[in-house]
Amino acid sequence: MSLTAFLAENAERIENVKYVASQRFRGEDGKPVPWEIRCITSEEDEKLRRKCIRSVPVPGKKHQYRNETDFDLYLGRLAAACTVYPNLKDAELQNSYHAMGEEELLKRMLKAGEYADYVIKVQEVCGFERGIAEEKEEAKN
């Protein structure tokens, strides 16, 4: 068997996805403006996850802690990292919503339901078969 199929130059290119996150943002033609979402690498995802880990005390055990991932924080950072357009880093855009940072801007731009749908779409673009939110719910039960 040959490994040539696995060489980087032979791998299928992952295209960015256009998605209408909200009907409220319309272009000059009156049509909703699609957002652009990119797929991040596993390496980028791992870095995001690490930044969302916090130590929590183990109940009943003094001075013992366990690591726990803050999934809400992670999903917000994932959505922001995957958003190509609109540019969430743009100072003018952040100022118009009185937001500090990409995650906060994203949450202020979209209504609650739109944000939830957008996060699901981002996970889909990144290749998550099951949404992280679903896994979080299952872990709680």
Side-chain angles (χ1 to χ4, degrees):
M1 293 207 152
S2 172
L3 295 178
T4 57
F6 296 101
L7 297 176
E9 60 269 13
N10 294 333
E12 224 177 83
R13 186 164 181 256
I14 300 170
E15 300 291 331
N16 290 352
V17 173
K18 304 277 186 178
Y19 175 75
V20 175
S22 175
Q23 297 291 322
R24 297 175 305 115
F25 304 109
R26 298 192 175 270
E28 292 176 7
D29 60 0
K31 293 181 182 173
V33 176
W35 294 35
E36 187 174 349
I37 304 169
R38 74 180 182 98
C39 177
I40 62 170
T41 65
S42 296
E43 186 177 24
E44 290 171 296
D45 184 61
E46 189 176 317
K47 287 177 184 176
L48 278 176
R49 283 182 191 267
R50 277 195 206 130
K51 290 178 181 177
C52 298
I53 293 176
R54 61 181 178 201
S55 291
V56 293
V58 175
K61 306 235 178 170
K62 286 186 178 181
H63 309 294
Q64 287 191 7
Y65 296 85
R66 63 182 166 84
N67 289 336
E68 186 177 276
T69 301
D70 182 338
F71 283 106
D72 292 328
L73 179 62
Y74 167 72
L75 290 173
R77 289 184 175 177
L78 177 67
C82 293
T83 303
V84 176
Y85 183 81
N87 179 5
L88 300 177
K89 293 178 180 160
D90 185 80
E92 183 180 1
L93 188 57
Q94 286 186 18
N95 288 338
S96 75
Y97 284 91
H98 307 287
M100 292 290 288
E102 298 121 76
E103 296 99 28
E104 185 179 331
L105 174 61
L106 193 55
K107 289 177 182 178
R108 289 193 181 186
M109 289 178 75
L110 298 173
K111 296 188 296 186
E114 294 170 340
Y115 179 78
D117 290 344
Y118 187 71
V119 167
I120 290 168
K121 185 64 178 181
V122 166
Q123 291 175 77
E124 180 185 302
V125 169
C126 288
F128 292 106
E129 293 291 321
R130 250 174 80 147
I132 294 166
E134 291 172 10
E135 290 180 18
K136 177 179 145 185
E137 277 302 312
E138 187 176 296
K140 284 181 182 177
N141 298 330

